[in-house]
Structures are given as C-alpha cells and as structure tokens.
Amino acid sequence: MKNKVALITGAATGIGRETAIAFARKGANVVISDINDEKLKETQKLIEEKRVKVLSVKADISKEDDIRNMVKKAVEQFGRLDIACNNAGIAGESATTGEYSIEGWDKVLNVNLRGQFICMKYEIEAMIKNGSGSIVNISSILGHVGFAEAPAYVASKHGLLGLTKTAAIEYASQGIRINAVCPGFIETPMLEDAGITTVEETKQYIISLHPAGRLGKPREVADAIVWLASDEASFVTGHPLLVDGGYVAW
Ligand code: NAP
C-alpha cells in the first residue's frame, strides 16, 4: 500500500473511520470524506498518528458537485487515485413497504445508490488516467436477503451489488477492479441510532441471527476492505464479499 492513494467516504465514524485507519496502517496516503466535518477531524488526527499523508474533504454524496470536488481535490493533492471505498450510507426510516414514505425512499436511494453511482463515475474517470485502480463499495447482507421494515435500504444495497458487478465487467480490461463488501450487523453509531445496540432485547435478537453469536466489529470489516482493495486480490473483481459471521449462510 506504500505510496498508494486511498479515498474513503463516510470516514468520520464507524466502518469508514476504521477503514481509513486500516489503509493508513498499511502505509497508504488517505483522502477522508464525510458530511460530518467535526468528526472527520477526529479521524484525521487518528490517521496522522500513523505518519502517512491525509487530506480531509467535506462532501455530501447526495450532491454531484461535492463528489466532483472530492475526487478533484484528491487528484490535485496526490496526483492520482488508486483506491476508493464508497462507504457512506444511511439506514433510513423503519416501516413496511406499504407504510414507507416516498420522501424517505428518495432520501435513502439518493445517498445509498445514486450517491455511490456518482462517486464511481468520477473515481473511474480518475483511475482510467492511471491505467489501474480498485473500488470497494459497501453493500450489506441486506444486498443478499430481505429485512422487514427496511425496503429502501434493502433495495439500495441490492441495487449497489448490481451496479458493482456491471461496472466490474465494463472496466476489468482497463485494469480497474470493482468489488463490494457485505457486512452483517456491525457495532457502529448507525446501529446505536437505529436503537439496535441501545435496547438489550433488540440487540440479543439481532445477535441471534448471526451463527457467530455476536455482532461484528468495524475493524473486521475494514481488514476485508483493505484486502479486497489490495494487489493481493488482483484476480478478484465483481465479487460481493460477505463479512457477516455466517448471517447469510443460515
Ligand atoms: P455510520 O456509523 O452511520 O457512519 C456513516 C458515516 O457516513 C457517518 O459519518 C455519516 O454522517 C456519513 N454520511 C451519512 N450520509 C452521508 C452523505 N450524504 N454524504 C457523506 N457522508 C454521509 O454507519 P456505519 O455503520 O459505519 O456504515 C457504513 C456503511 O456500511 C454504510 O453504507 C452502511 O449501510 C454499511 N453497513 C453497515 C452495517 C452495520 O451494521 N453498521 C451493516 C451492513 C452495511 P452522519 O453521522 O452525520 O450522518
């Protein structure tokens, strides 16, 4: 990873923060991005301790201008973009399909699918100039199976896998690998905000869905992302890698 440049969206907290740290630990220079500027600064401090170069760019991935600027700044600062981890995502409201609000649907799809698509568009453009690159999109176990009262989230994560496979086919011959990581339930602020880790009964129910008998840790997802992005996975493309304690196998 030495001298490689890795861009991570949603890097202010959770899986994104841990992924940015994991890339830095391997010696990559990192571009970290998030809508949450304050927490992004905390991630920046943690990365600076690893003695690699770090650039923070505030970006809302539901806005094309922000994404264009994010990739432009990365290339201006480091001269190239080798790796991109499209991680930023939101859970959205909890309701059955018939009760789900149209505004809520648009909000989730705007970030989790349209936003990821626009990120890929600009990242691929930069990587074509290098003649190589590696993209890892963060989908979910809910890109593989359904989950009641999360129709927009589930649809967005299934859609992201389709997009990942399609782009992988399109750019394989140009030296760009495009894969996805599909985490099970991971202990991050997203689960806290959804009341999953804060209500003991709910937490135990969610744990019971994982054969591993526990929730995952952000570091376990980050290490899989770094491997998939690295040259060690040089013949892997279009792959949806489950990091789920056996959730989907059950
Ligand atoms: P998290 O703790 O909520 O972190 C996500 C980060 O993305 C937050 O800093 C959030 O900022 C930011 N963000 C939200 N909307 C954004 C936007 N429009 N533009 C830029 N940044 C934005 O979530 P996480 O659990 O680490 O999840 C990371 C990814 O993994 C997501 O794509 C999620 O769907 C996926 N995933 C998570 C789990 C899990 O169990 N945690 C399981 C499977 C997949 P704010 O906090 O200000 O909103």
Side-chain angles (χ1 to χ4, degrees):
M1 286 287 167
K2 251 203 152 71
N3 297 324
K4 294 238 169 160
V5 179
L7 163 71
I8 302 101
T9 68
T13 132
I15 293 169
R17 171 181 284 180
E18 207 57 49
T19 300
I21 293 169
F23 276 116
R25 203 181 284 122
K26 293 277 184 191
N29 295 318
V30 292
V31 181
I32 52 173
S33 177
D34 203 285
I35 200 170
N36 187 331
D37 215 11
E38 238 169 73
K39 283 197 177 153
L40 194 60
K41 287 196 180 90
E42 289 172 25
T43 303
Q44 176 162 359
K45 274 197 190 140
L46 293 167
I47 290 171
E48 280 164 353
E49 288 167 13
K50 308 282 175 215
R51 299 181 188 283
V52 295
K53 290 179 193 147
V54 54
L55 170 71
S56 297
V57 188
K58 186 180 180 191
D60 175 348
I61 66 149
S62 66
K63 295 183 178 148
E64 183 188 354
D65 286 351
D66 280 19
I67 295 171
R68 189 192 300 113
N69 180 56
M70 171 183 82
V71 175
K72 185 168 168 262
K73 287 242 166 83
V75 174
E76 271 172 11
Q77 176 85 10
F78 293 111
R80 57 189 291 120
L81 180 65
D82 299 296
I83 292 163
C85 174
N86 296 315
N87 162 76
I90 55 173
E93 65 193 56
S94 182
T96 56
T97 303
E99 301 286 326
Y100 211 87
S101 77
I102 294 171
E103 297 74 31
W105 172 274
D106 287 345
K107 197 173 166 201
V108 171
L109 270 289
N110 240 341
V111 176
N112 291 8
L113 192 53
R114 183 179 178 273
Q116 306 288 40
F117 156 65
I118 299 173
C119 285
M120 286 172 70
K121 207 171 149 58
Y122 284 100
E123 292 156 2
I124 287 168
E125 192 184 35
M127 288 174 181
I128 284 174
K129 288 181 189 150
N130 297 348
S132 67
S134 177
I135 294 177
V136 180
N137 293 322
I138 307 309
S139 176
S140 169
I141 44 173
L142 304 186
H144 291 260
V145 295
F147 196 83
E149 301 190 8
Y153 186 83
V154 171
S156 72
K157 294 300 185 182
H158 274 70
L160 185 56
L161 288 188
L163 179 60
T164 300
K165 290 172 194 169
T166 297
I169 294 164
E170 292 166 344
Y171 294 99
S173 64
Q174 294 178 66
I176 302 170
R177 294 186 301 106
I178 303 171
N179 291 290
V181 163
C182 304
F185 284 82
I186 310 298
E187 283 192 77
T188 70
M190 182 181 271
L191 291 202
E192 261 175 63
D193 296 346
I196 291 173
T197 43
T198 47
V199 180
E200 196 51 32
E201 204 183 329
T202 311
K203 185 177 174 181
Q204 289 311 319
Y205 167 67
I206 294 293
I207 286 175
S208 77
L209 301 175
H210 297 73
R214 64 175 176 86
L215 302 177
K217 296 181 176 34
R219 172 81 190 259
E220 293 175 300
V221 181
D223 287 343
I225 293 168
V226 170
W227 173 77
L228 205 43
S230 78
D231 291 343
E232 287 178 16
S234 53
F235 202 50
V236 184
T237 198
H239 181 65
L241 179 62
L242 287 160
V243 182
D244 69 344
Y247 185 108
V248 170
W250 219 330

